[in-house]
Amino acid sequence: MTEHLLSLLIGLPILGGIATIVLGRNSATTARWVSLIVALLTLAASIPLYLGYDAQAGGLQFVESKLWIDSINAYYSLGADGISVALIVLTTFTSVLVLIGAWEAIDEKVHQYTAAFLFLEALMIGVFSATDALLFYLFFEAMLIPMFIIIGVWGGPRRVYATIKFFLYTFFGSIFMLIGLIYLYLQTGTWNLTELAAANIPLTAQTWLFFSFLLAFAVKVPMFPVHTWLPDAHVEAPTGGSVVLAAIMLKIGGYGFIRFSLPITPDASHELAWLVIALSLIAVIYIGFVALVQEDMKKLIAYSSISHMGFVTLGTFIAFTLARESGATDAARLGLQGAMVQMVSHGFISGAMFSCVGVLYDRVHSRMIKDYGGVVNTMPWFAAFFVFFGMANSGLPGTSGFVGEFMVILASFQASPWIAAAAAVTLIVGAAYTLWLVKRVVFGEIGNDHVRHLTDINAREALMLGAFAIAVLLVGVWPAPLTNLMDSSINEVVAQLLRVKV
């Protein structure tokens, strides 16, 4: 059974999405229950993936491969290492909470809405599982379709503008990636990622390939200056769309750097690591200040996400400076591990923050900060969750937000104290915009009649926010199950970036 576990994880949401459309077309309640049961089954199926992965042995496990397109030597090839397993479990966990959160918030075309999320879940798991570059590209591109529909159909007043901008940015980046992959196939005759990583490629070709991958994954992360689609997409997306976008889809950019840029173009990545580090620091600092002046809660959290994701790219590429120039492989490993922990942690925290905004929006139909104030007086349980997630977003020790950022800053310090000092600025700026948000929304006197008549979270909302809170706390106080899971895979990545191909 385990040899087809990844196919099961991809196939189950697809079949569930079809069943949701068929069975739930005349009943919203049926659509909600069918989709939730399928998401729960998919989450349950991902548990053997986590428990069955041999972290000591490392490498790709749960491997399956079958010839897909004979004429171009393309395979339906799946496999998972520790990094993939962590992100797949994050995907299945978040998908369940998204469907619980949307239970009452969406009341039009419910069967189509919930089915779109199941299709999206399957495609994201496919991205994290694919070991064939062409199959990866297929899943990578196909993800655009359900997200395009989710924002375009159930989004806000400017949803058409947001969806077109989202589509153009991501599609533009992906085209260059496809050109790079075609070049690689013509040179090597294979789409297999392991074989592509082992291939010797001249530095000039590596440089062109590096930029083709950078354009594709920088848009997805998103990195400065190709980040401008994200705030618009978040503002116009329904709450579930924002949660999935921030919690999972942004991680695919960071994952792409690990799977393509580092192993296939290690020499070019080393030569141009300074560029990514500089862009990451701009994202961490400048975007943090941009978040500080936002009046829309969703926009503020969206800019906060861009700033925090800067740690992921910083930790990923600072590893080259540490390993190749200083010979500090342990520090390089720390930077990469911090980047991976930051990806998972940001998935929990950003998902929770957007869910909190969704809870308020469902009651007041406003995301503007000025429309709130004194929420703690009428929604004490909600306020407790909001303050907790705000603290986690600020990187408070004891929460998952602290672990990844601390590891990246510690690794950066060994490369350059100046880089570490610049990155640490975000802890101050992040605390400033988050605490100011919490102060204006939660504390103080009751701001208006809308707030005066608010009702506290119900059991369903408490379940959703409670699950996020437990995840944030667990990773914050006991990150070992996550770091141990990825340890061997991180070692393999460090070995790949040390490999000189020219």
Side-chain angles (χ1 to χ4, degrees):
M1 186 64 183
T2 54
E3 65 267 24
H4 298 300
L5 188 54
L6 291 171
S7 285
L8 177 68
L9 283 164
I10 296 170
L12 197 53
I14 291 176
L15 293 175
I18 296 170
T20 301
I21 290 175
V22 174
L23 300 175
R25 65 184 184 279
N26 295 320
S27 168
T29 303
T30 303
R32 292 182 181 114
W33 276 110
V34 171
S35 59
L36 179 59
I37 290 169
V38 171
L40 285 168
L41 288 174
T42 311
L43 174 61
S46 68
I47 293 173
L49 190 76
Y50 174 79
L51 296 177
Y53 183 77
D54 187 345
Q56 296 296 324
L60 288 173
Q61 299 176 26
F62 308 100
V63 174
E64 49 187 301
S65 183
K66 191 173 179 59
L67 190 61
W68 173 30
I69 307 174
D70 190 10
S71 58
I72 57 172
N73 198 30
Y75 280 76
Y76 173 77
S77 178
L78 304 176
D81 64 2
I83 297 170
S84 303
V85 171
L87 293 173
I88 290 170
V89 174
L90 173 68
T91 304
T92 58
F93 173 79
T94 307
S95 296
V96 170
L97 299 185
V98 164
L99 290 170
I100 292 174
W103 201 264
E104 294 173 354
I106 300 295
D107 54 9
E108 290 183 5
K109 304 173 184 172
V110 176
H111 62 301
Q112 296 174 5
Y113 181 83
T114 52
F117 274 102
L118 291 177
F119 292 139
L120 185 59
E121 180 184 17
L123 296 169
M124 292 186 295
I125 294 172
V127 166
F128 295 132
S129 309
T131 56
D132 180 283
L134 194 60
L135 186 66
F136 176 94
Y137 184 79
L138 176 75
F139 286 127
F140 188 77
E141 281 296 276
M143 281 189 318
L144 289 178
I145 300 169
M147 183 50 80
F148 185 90
I149 294 171
I150 288 167
I151 301 175
V153 175
W154 292 274
R158 296 177 70 243
R159 58 184 178 274
V160 174
Y161 168 77
T163 48
I164 291 175
K165 192 173 181 180
F166 162 71
F167 184 85
L168 288 178
Y169 266 71
T170 51
F171 187 71
F172 177 79
S174 303
I175 286 296
F176 289 97
M177 179 187 172
L178 179 61
I179 294 170
L181 292 179
I182 291 172
Y183 170 82
L184 275 172
Y185 171 71
L186 294 175
Q187 296 298 312
T188 61
T190 180
W191 301 98
N192 185 283
L193 287 175
T194 304
E195 294 173 9
L196 291 176
N200 288 322
I201 305 169
L203 184 58
T204 304
Q206 279 195 44
T207 304
W208 284 110
L209 286 167
F210 172 83
F211 280 111
S212 74
F213 296 146
L214 179 64
L215 279 170
F217 301 131
V219 170
K220 271 285 193 293
V221 169
M223 291 177 66
F224 175 88
V226 288
H227 65 282
T228 61
W229 63 271
L230 186 70
D232 290 317
H234 270 307
V235 167
E236 298 305 324
T239 300
S242 292
V243 172
V244 169
L245 199 57
I248 309 170
M249 289 187 74
L250 301 190
K251 313 302 174 294
I252 289 169
Y255 181 79
F257 283 127
I258 296 286
R259 284 286 176 266
F260 286 82
S261 303
L262 269 58
I264 297 175
T265 63
D267 304 299
S269 296
H270 173 225
E271 293 289 330
L272 296 164
W274 64 269
L275 174 64
V276 181
I277 291 170
L279 293 175
S280 302
L281 289 176
I282 292 172
V284 166
I285 300 168
Y286 166 67
I287 301 297
F289 281 107
V290 173
L292 198 57
V293 298
Q294 298 305 312
E295 293 296 327
D296 184 313
M297 285 189 281
K298 266 193 167 183
K299 264 194 175 176
L300 189 152
I301 300 168
Y303 280 111
S304 165
S305 291
I306 299 168
S307 178
H308 283 102
M309 287 303 290
F311 274 95
V312 173
T313 47
L314 175 62
T316 302
F317 282 86
I318 201 76
F320 281 100
T321 304
L322 290 163
R324 285 204 176 192
E325 296 176 13
S326 309
T329 52
D330 286 342
R333 200 173 293 116
L334 181 67
L336 282 165
Q337 201 161 51
M340 293 301 105
V341 172
Q342 175 71 358
M343 286 218 287
V344 175
S345 164
H346 181 263
F348 295 140
I349 296 172
S350 63
M353 292 291 284
F354 279 115
S355 296
C356 284
V357 175
V359 167
L360 290 177
Y361 186 80
D362 290 344
R363 287 161 170 75
V364 181
H365 299 293
S366 172
R367 299 184 303 268
M368 304 308 291
I369 297 171
K370 65 180 175 58
D371 291 334
Y372 296 90
V375 169
V376 68
N377 296 293
T378 50
M379 300 177 71
W381 281 106
F382 170 81
F385 279 116
F386 197 60
V387 170
F388 174 73
F389 293 131
M391 296 297 105
N393 198 49
S394 305
L396 187 76
T399 66
S400 63
F402 173 76
V403 182
E405 292 182 3
F406 180 73
M407 292 168 81
V408 172
I409 291 173
L410 197 60
S412 301
F413 191 85
Q414 298 182 56
S416 164
W418 292 108
I419 293 177
V425 168
T426 194
L427 298 178
I428 302 168
V429 179
Y433 62 66
T434 307
L435 294 178
W436 199 27
L437 169 70
V438 169
K439 173 187 174 293
R440 287 180 290 172
V441 172
V442 173
F443 296 116
E445 298 297 320
I446 292 178
N448 53 53
D449 285 342
H450 292 302
V451 175
R452 187 168 289 108
H453 295 106
L454 284 175
T455 55
D456 210 345
I457 52 175
N458 56 34
R460 176 183 58 80
E461 292 164 334
L463 174 65
M464 173 185 64
L465 298 179
F468 274 127
I470 290 170
V472 169
L473 206 56
L474 270 180
V475 176
V477 299
W478 190 35
L482 177 60
T483 55
N484 292 343
L485 173 71
M486 298 189 292
D487 204 33
S488 296
S489 303
I490 296 292
N491 289 340
E492 290 162 17
V493 174
V494 172
Q496 286 174 332
L497 62 88
L498 283 171
R499 183 167 180 264
V500 178
K501 291 188 172 186
V502 295

